[in-house]
Each structure stands twice: as C-alpha cells, then as structure tokens.
Amino acid sequence: MNPSPAIRKVFQGVANRPQMFRMFDRHAQRPNRWDNDATPLYAGEWFEIGEAEHDYMFEILPPLWIRGSMFAMREFLTGSVTSVFFALRIDEAIRYFHGYCDLSDQASVEAMRIAIIDRESRPVRSMTREERLEHIWSSTADDYRGYAGERWPEASRRKRTVMLYGGKGGRFLKLLDDLSDDEIAAKLPVQLRHLPSPIAA
C-alpha cells in the first residue's frame, strides 16, 4: 500500500472544502482496512487549505490542544495520528495547512511546520515526481483508482493503481509508481504539467 513515513505534500494548490474532506481519508479503499496499523500510511501527509476551511475545522470540536498558530483535532484518525492545522506566515502572507502528525513522536508537529515552510518558501513553483504522483492519487475519483489485487504478480499486490486510457486499446490499470513521465503529464491538470522539478528550479 506504499506506506511512507516521510513528510510529504499530497496535493498541489489550495484544497476547497469537498477536496479537503476527501483527502482526510485518501486511503479509504485500501485492502484489509481494519487489519493493520495505518500510522505509516497517513503520518506526514499535508496539503494547503483556505482560511474558511481552517476556521471551520477549528469550530467543529474543541481542539485537543492549541499552540500559537497551530491546533490539533481531538479525534484521532488511527493510533496516535491526528489532524493538525497550521496558520503560517510565508512570504509575508498567512496561509493555512492540514497535516497528519503522529503525536507519539513529540517532534512530529514542529518537524511538519518546518517542512511546510521550507517547501512553500521556494522561489520557483516546482513539483517532485513523488508530489506529482500524490496529486494524481489525491485528485483521481475512487472509481478510477484502487489497489492491485490477486490478478497482479505477487510483488505488485496491494500497491496503488490508476486507470489510464489507451486510445484504441481502451482503459487499463497501471501501478501509480510505474507511470511514465508522459502518463503523469496526461493525468495532471494543464497548469501543473510543465512545472519544473526542484532540481531544475
């Protein structure tokens, strides 16, 4: 299921309210949803939201805690992972973010805050290959994404898949991680297709 403990941006741009709620559980379709600890799957994911969405989430329930411009949700998603919301000044503007932090690690919230500021302070808009794949996963409808099942080779099972269109060949599934650069470009919105990689930036 491609767990990754690294802090990672999973959506490019500012998520609106429906997008925000959808991304709160980007891995809802995973096989054996209730059988395994999902902490590595969610911990470290973050994306940008609007001020209205940030304030809405603040008012839903009393926060677990408030620390300066950050607050944590009282309800945990899985294990010790919960939503933390940030209001951060970046390039003289206040911007708002949601991140999943594993509160069993006392340094996780500050590490997330620093990572977001570092990522969003880059002078040139850019996307890594991993960010492009995560954006595709976040923005693809459930009917067109899933997980490799028993028809796939053993090494590929439970990995993420997306639906592609092969012209006369029709639709087919491909592992998300195996998408070519051209296939990635075709799945991204037009405004994101030609962003440079951070190295090129």
Side-chain angles (χ1 to χ4, degrees), residues 85-105:
F85 292 85
F86 302 81
L88 302 175
R89 181 176 294 278
I90 300 174
D91 296 332
E92 304 306 317
I94 301 296
R95 294 167 60 185
Y96 303 88
F97 302 88
H98 166 271
Y100 276 127
C101 295
D102 181 355
L103 299 189
S104 68
D105 177 0

Side-chain angles (χ1 to χ4, degrees), residues 12-13 119 122-127 191-192 194-197 201:
Q12 188 76 19
R119 172 64 183 83
R122 295 178 186 169
V124 177
R125 287 188 66 203
S126 61
M127 290 179 76
Q191 70 272 19
L192 301 180
H194 304 295
L195 291 181
S197 69

Side-chain angles (χ1 to χ4, degrees), residues 56-177:
Y56 176 82
M57 295 307 297
F58 181 77
E59 294 168 0
I60 285 181
L61 291 170
L64 178 66
W65 49 254
I66 302 172
R67 299 177 187 165
S69 60
M70 305 179 292
F71 69 91
M73 291 297 287
R74 183 170 298 277
E75 294 184 351
F76 286 76
L77 174 70
T78 180
S80 53
V81 174
T82 193
S83 293
V84 177
F85 292 85
F86 302 81
L88 302 175
R89 181 176 294 278
I90 300 174
D91 296 332
E92 304 306 317
I94 301 296
R95 294 167 60 185
Y96 303 88
F97 302 88
H98 166 271
Y100 276 127
C101 295
D102 181 355
L103 299 189
S104 68
D105 177 0
Q106 295 184 355
S108 66
V109 175
E110 181 63 10
M112 174 77 73
R113 186 187 72 82
I114 291 171
I116 293 172
I117 291 173
D118 179 65
R119 172 64 183 83
E120 295 303 301
S121 297
R122 295 178 186 169
V124 177
R125 287 188 66 203
S126 61
M127 290 179 76
T128 64
R129 175 181 170 83
E130 291 73 23
E131 288 172 348
R132 294 172 204 268
L133 294 177
E134 294 301 337
H135 183 90
I136 289 169
W137 182 256
S138 294
S139 57
T140 299
D142 288 346
D143 289 344
Y144 301 98
R145 68 180 186 182
Y147 294 84
E150 293 184 0
R151 294 183 180 181
W152 292 74
E154 181 69 31
S156 298
R157 291 176 190 171
R158 299 168 62 89
K159 292 184 177 180
R160 295 182 292 177
T161 63
V162 291
M163 185 76 70
L164 297 177
Y165 297 89
K168 294 181 179 179
R171 298 183 300 179
F172 64 97
L173 289 174
K174 188 169 182 177
L175 294 179
L176 180 68
D177 288 339

Side-chain angles (χ1 to χ4, degrees), residues 19-33:
Q19 290 169 329
M20 175 182 75
F21 278 107
R22 189 164 178 272
M23 283 191 290
F24 281 162
D25 199 354
R26 298 188 324 134
H27 310 289
Q29 294 177 295
R30 67 188 185 275
N32 304 319
R33 177 178 169 89

